[in-house]
Amino acid sequence: MLEIKNLHATVDGKEILKGLDLHIRAGEVHAIMGPNGSGKSTLSYVLAGRPGYEVTEGSVTYKGRDLLALEPEERAGEGIFLAFQYPVEIPGVASTTFLKHALNAVLRHRGQEELDAMAFVKMLRAKTKELGIADDMLKRPVNVGYSGGEKKRNEMLQMAVLEPTLAVLDETDSGLDIDALKVVSDGVNALRAPDRSMLVITHYQRLLDYIVPDYVHVLAGGRIVRSGGKELAHELEEKGYAEFADAAA
Amino acid sequence: MADPRTLHTTKHIVDRYAAIAGTLPGGDLPWLVGRREAGIERFRDFGLPTRRREEWKYTNLEELRRVPFEPAKPVVNGISTGTLPTLIGAEHRLVFVNGHLRQDLCAICMPPDGATITSLGKALETMPEMVEAHLGVARGDEDAPFTALNDAFLTDGLFLHLKPGVDLGSVIEVIHVSVGQSGPVFQHPRNLIVAEAGSHATVLEHYIGFGQSPTLANAATEVVIGEGAGVRHCKVQAEAPEAFHIAMLDAHLAKNASFDSFYFASGAKLSRNEIRVTLDGEGADCRLFGAYMMKDRQHADHTTFIDHAKPHTTSREVYKGVLDDKARAVFQGLILVRPDAQNIEGHQLNRTLLLSDGAEIDAKPELKIFADDVKCSHGATAGELDEEALFYLRARGIPEDEARGLLVEAFLREVIDGIAMAGLREPLSDRVARWMGTRPALSGGAA
């Protein structure tokens, strides 16, 4: 599904990723944990294709294709979804309008038929119900005036609507209370499927109690410095990231 | 005195007037002939404005000056009701081509008692005393070179008169077409709207054009709003790429009167739309909204003047523009609060979205306040599209052009959603989307 080899990336001329390797197979859930400043968010933005994040070395292959050659919208069309740590507010664009444009663009890319207004509303209503999202929220402009929990729920809704094959969740747990965390995790777990992979990026182990990963990696100093099973998350919770400080230096 | 550099052009225009003065309507009305003569004299004194004149500092008429315009003649063919780009299904429609009424394209439904909907040219024939009583009233002592010129060449336009208490209840669409077929032509449309006490009217002015030759529409609209009356005015300027468009709207409001103005522009090579509002009675209120989109080397000037002449008057103004390529826009907004005009509220906002490095806005908000119990504000911003928002949309699969379009629409939505004439919101949103999507000229017969 996703094969990252020796990835180096810079932001504003500063090297953040320094030779990252990662291999995710279809259906797997991988967690990346690490201290602040280790490059977690940079990795997620590089995968989504954010301008300003420059890859200087290495490769990212996704479904056998060179991911780095694709525009952000093409990556979304190919099934990559980044749940933003800080979802962006877009005044003047209603959430429903946004979702419709996004879904139809992705369907076009995938060579599928676009949904008409009726079918779209029906589909959306089903998804919002699952995620406990009030219809009222969708009439408002994207993320404008949403609470932290609403923003994250909205990310999960977008993910449910766009049905990605690789979902990257960037600190989806930040700013969430336990109830919201549970709703969001249920949303993620509902999407787990044999042909869908996930990369869960988090600072805290807490989220991984709800979204149980197959593999856990420690990112420090721009590289994966340790990999293991889900028990690694608990070990990190107890010992902290101190032992990886050297790697970060 | 006229600027020496423009003397030649000024003389050319004055000569054109002399040549056709005898053929202009109302030749048998001494007061009108007097107005024309006074108008051309004032224009001769003013001359064509140059950038040395403060109010024309940001708009250069050099290109216009070099065009040898001839007075536009009537065009009798080439346009039919089927090809007219009407914006809404208005009950009443008046069409003027090159400044001349095209009766065959007009449709006036039965207006309510006390409402007169006709053309100014016809009104000069059938009710000249009524025109005489109201023409020039809204303008007061204010003068300007192009309005003086309009006085001289005044030919035709809308004449609307509402007796006290009459609610028109339906929309009047006035379409002014500029046709540049064989050589450059100018025309001077004049619209006169008189809403007596307690009456209500909604008028849409729509300017379009086609042809390869340059055209100049020098339009003047006067709106006289009596006590407690309300006028909603929308103007859409979608002239051809070779067109010049210069317009002045004067509105005079009595006690408790209201004036709601919306200006939407995407056309013309060079345009200047000037609005002057006098709030001349307690409780008078005006709202001036504007949205414009310019590209290539288009130049669009928006100049407004709100005169809070009496206490307890309110105004609100929002102008938003989108500029691409090497387009330039001007926003000059002056709010004047006269001495003793207490309890005033006046708010003004100008925001510009620059889609390219070559685009430019000159914003000059200005408050002149001579009273002390006043709540006034103004703000002007210019910025680029929000890159974070753009990436967010693209990360959801929306192609870059479509994402830009969504953001531009969102930017203009505030003003478009505020249009009092609700039926215009969708057609104008469509125009924004089309402007962003395919970038064709939205002007002309294809609009």
Side-chain angles (χ1 to χ4, degrees):
Chain A
M1 177 76 73
L2 183 76
E3 176 97 54
I4 303 175
K5 281 187 181 157
N6 189 32
L7 185 65
H8 291 252
T10 60
V11 182
D12 292 331
K14 188 171 180 252
E15 187 168 61
I16 307 289
L17 299 182
K18 302 168 183 174
L20 186 143
D21 294 287
L22 185 65
H23 185 202
I24 300 177
R25 283 174 291 262
E28 292 177 351
V29 174
H30 289 238
I32 287 195
M33 302 182 69
N36 291 326
S38 57
K40 301 195 297 291
S41 283
T42 299
L43 173 61
S44 67
Y45 282 142
V46 166
L47 292 177
R50 183 175 182 138
Y53 288 72
E54 198 190 338
V55 173
T56 50
E57 206 183 325
S59 66
V60 180
T61 313
Y62 170 68
K63 291 189 199 165
R65 292 180 64 180
D66 176 9
L67 182 72
L68 301 176
L70 303 178
E71 296 292 330
E73 54 268 37
E74 294 171 324
R75 298 182 194 199
E78 291 294 319
I80 297 224
F81 180 92
L82 168 62
F84 283 60
Q85 184 181 0
Y86 303 109
V88 182
E89 297 186 3
I90 309 182
V93 179
S95 275
T96 317
T97 310
F98 164 63
L99 281 167
K100 192 157 187 254
H101 275 266
L103 176 62
N104 282 335
V106 162
L107 289 175
R108 269 199 310 274
H109 183 95
R110 294 174 190 166
Q112 292 168 264
E113 205 166 310
E114 295 183 28
L115 289 192
D116 62 27
M118 198 93 111
F120 175 76
V121 167
K122 201 174 160 201
M123 178 279 304
L124 194 58
R125 202 162 282 160
K127 306 268 185 194
T128 49
K129 212 174 152 194
E130 277 172 36
L131 287 161
I133 289 173
D135 287 351
D136 166 63
M137 190 177 104
L138 296 182
K139 288 180 191 144
R140 283 148 53 195
V142 179
N143 293 322
V144 177
Y146 288 20
S147 69
E150 282 178 324
K151 284 183 181 172
K152 294 299 167 76
R153 254 180 241 200
N154 194 29
E155 294 292 290
M156 292 308 108
L157 173 65
Q158 292 167 30
M159 183 165 84
V161 167
L162 298 179
E163 299 186 331
T165 42
L166 174 66
V168 181
L169 311 179
D170 187 6
E171 309 229 4
T172 292
D173 48 336
S174 69
L176 291 188
D177 59 28
I178 289 291
D179 290 342
L181 190 64
K182 186 143 185 2
V183 172
V184 165
S185 308
D186 287 349
V188 173
N189 287 328
L191 285 173
R192 287 181 86 149
D195 56 352
R196 182 172 289 140
S197 312
M198 294 188 184
L199 181 59
V200 182
I201 294 172
T202 182
H203 186 81
Y204 302 103
Q205 177 268 334
R206 189 180 68 160
L207 177 67
L208 305 181
D209 286 341
Y210 297 92
I211 305 171
V212 181
D214 300 307
Y215 300 94
V216 174
H217 311 275
V218 180
L219 179 62
R223 275 193 301 267
I224 301 288
V225 292
R226 202 173 149 194
S227 298
K230 59 178 180 256
E231 65 289 343
L232 178 56
H234 292 280
E235 191 186 323
L236 287 167
E237 184 76 357
E238 282 168 29
K239 295 185 185 164
Y241 294 109
E243 68 171 286
F244 303 109
D246 293 344
Chain B
M1 274 302 291
D3 190 288
R5 285 173 299 178
T6 69
L7 274 178
H8 177 78
T9 311
T10 306
K11 184 175 182 304
H12 169 81
I13 294 171
V14 172
D15 288 349
R16 290 295 145 310
Y17 170 74
I20 66 155
T23 68
L24 292 166
D28 55 336
L29 302 167
W31 64 269
L32 186 63
V33 174
R35 279 193 75 95
R36 292 190 191 282
E37 296 294 330
I40 203 70
E41 278 311 308
R42 282 173 7 248
F43 176 73
R44 199 203 307 267
D45 285 348
F46 276 121
L48 206 64
T50 66
R51 293 180 61 191
R52 287 193 203 168
R53 204 182 274 273
E54 180 62 24
E55 62 273 29
W56 287 87
K57 189 173 172 186
Y58 302 105
T59 293
N60 190 346
L61 295 180
E62 189 55 29
E63 203 173 344
L64 180 144
R65 196 173 72 76
R66 290 200 216 109
V67 183
F69 288 108
E70 290 294 327
K73 294 191 175 69
V75 174
V76 290
N77 47 33
I79 305 165
S80 68
T81 41
T83 59
L84 265 186
T86 52
L87 274 165
I88 45 171
E91 287 85 346
H92 315 288
R93 190 176 65 225
L94 278 103
V95 182
F96 300 89
V97 179
N98 275 357
H100 301 272
L101 179 71
R102 273 285 296 269
Q103 186 72 52
D104 57 314
L105 302 177
C106 295
I108 308 283
C109 294
M110 187 66 108
D113 284 346
T116 304
I117 307 171
T118 183
S119 84
L120 190 63
K122 280 191 181 169
L124 282 170
E125 286 170 22
T126 58
M127 49 188 100
E129 66 293 337
M130 191 113 114
V131 180
E132 184 182 5
H134 299 290
L135 198 69
V137 168
R139 191 187 295 166
D141 299 330
E142 297 289 339
D143 206 358
F146 283 97
T147 45
L149 195 61
N150 187 286
D151 271 2
F153 281 96
L154 178 154
T155 311
D156 215 341
L158 166 71
F159 179 77
L160 170 67
H161 182 268
L162 297 181
K163 284 187 174 163
V166 174
D167 187 345
L168 194 55
S170 47
V171 178
I172 303 175
E173 180 172 17
V174 185
I175 305 178
H176 291 281
V177 190
S178 294
V179 183
Q181 266 170 344
S182 46
V185 291
F186 61 26
Q187 53 152 322
H188 308 267
R190 182 68 162 259
N191 306 295
L192 180 56
I193 298 166
V194 181
E196 306 252 24
S199 65
H200 291 273
T202 305
V203 175
L204 166 64
E205 275 182 54
H206 188 187
Y207 290 82
I208 57 169
F210 50 87
Q212 301 306 312
S213 303
T215 57
L216 165 62
N218 170 33
T221 297
E222 294 179 79
V223 188
V224 187
I225 312 174
E227 188 173 330
V231 170
R232 299 194 298 189
H233 182 268
C234 283
K235 173 173 168 181
V236 175
Q237 189 271 98
E239 297 236 38
E242 289 304 312
F244 296 88
H245 181 91
I246 295 189
M248 174 72 79
L249 183 145
D250 283 289
H252 183 271
L253 280 73
K255 195 174 164 184
N256 293 326
S258 71
F259 178 58
D260 197 306
S261 155
F262 179 77
Y263 176 64
F264 183 91
S266 61
K269 172 190 277 186
L270 181 149
S271 61
R272 171 160 163 130
N273 195 67
E274 197 166 346
I275 300 177
R276 299 186 295 206
V277 182
T278 309
L279 302 169
D280 202 15
E282 292 197 10
D285 169 68
C286 78
R287 255 170 43 116
L288 307 184
F289 274 40
Y292 56 88
M293 311 169 297
M294 296 288 150
K295 59 187 170 69
D296 301 331
R297 287 178 172 273
Q298 284 181 293
H299 178 103
D301 177 329
H302 311 93
T303 296
T304 63
F305 171 35
I306 298 171
D307 183 352
H308 288 268
K310 292 283 155 61
H312 297 280
T313 51
T314 46
S315 67
R316 185 160 172 246
E317 179 171 15
V318 182
Y319 266 72
K320 282 190 169 186
V322 182
L323 302 176
D324 202 356
D325 305 325
K326 288 180 177 292
R328 280 191 64 170
V330 178
F331 176 81
Q332 305 187 102
L334 170 61
I335 297 177
L336 170 67
V337 180
R338 296 196 184 254
D340 303 324
Q342 305 293 357
N343 290 295
I344 300 298
E345 205 163 319
H347 300 288
Q348 181 194 87
L349 182 68
N350 167 236
R351 291 186 65 198
T352 313
L353 192 55
L354 302 168
L355 299 182
S356 97
D357 292 340
E360 193 181 318
I361 170 83
D362 290 300
K364 187 184 165 197
E366 207 178 347
L367 301 176
K368 285 187 183 167
I369 298 173
F370 300 101
D372 44 34
D373 191 1
V374 167
K375 263 191 248 173
C376 279
S377 67
H378 66 72
T381 63
E384 296 165 14
L385 274 185
D386 180 350
E387 289 296 327
E388 281 204 36
L390 192 60
F391 173 63
Y392 191 69
L393 294 172
R394 294 178 70 194
R396 294 298 174 256
I398 302 173
E400 189 172 356
D401 281 351
E402 192 179 337
R404 284 177 179 276
L406 277 174
L407 293 177
V408 166
E409 268 186 81
F411 174 76
L412 293 178
R413 179 150 295 130
E414 179 190 354
V415 267
I416 290 179
D417 280 354
I419 305 177
M421 209 181 290
L424 263 185
R425 289 175 200 158
E426 206 179 305
L428 293 186
S429 292
D430 267 8
R431 290 201 172 191
V432 177
R434 280 162 53 194
W435 187 85
M436 280 306 296
T438 53
R439 309 278 187 89
L442 279 176
S443 48

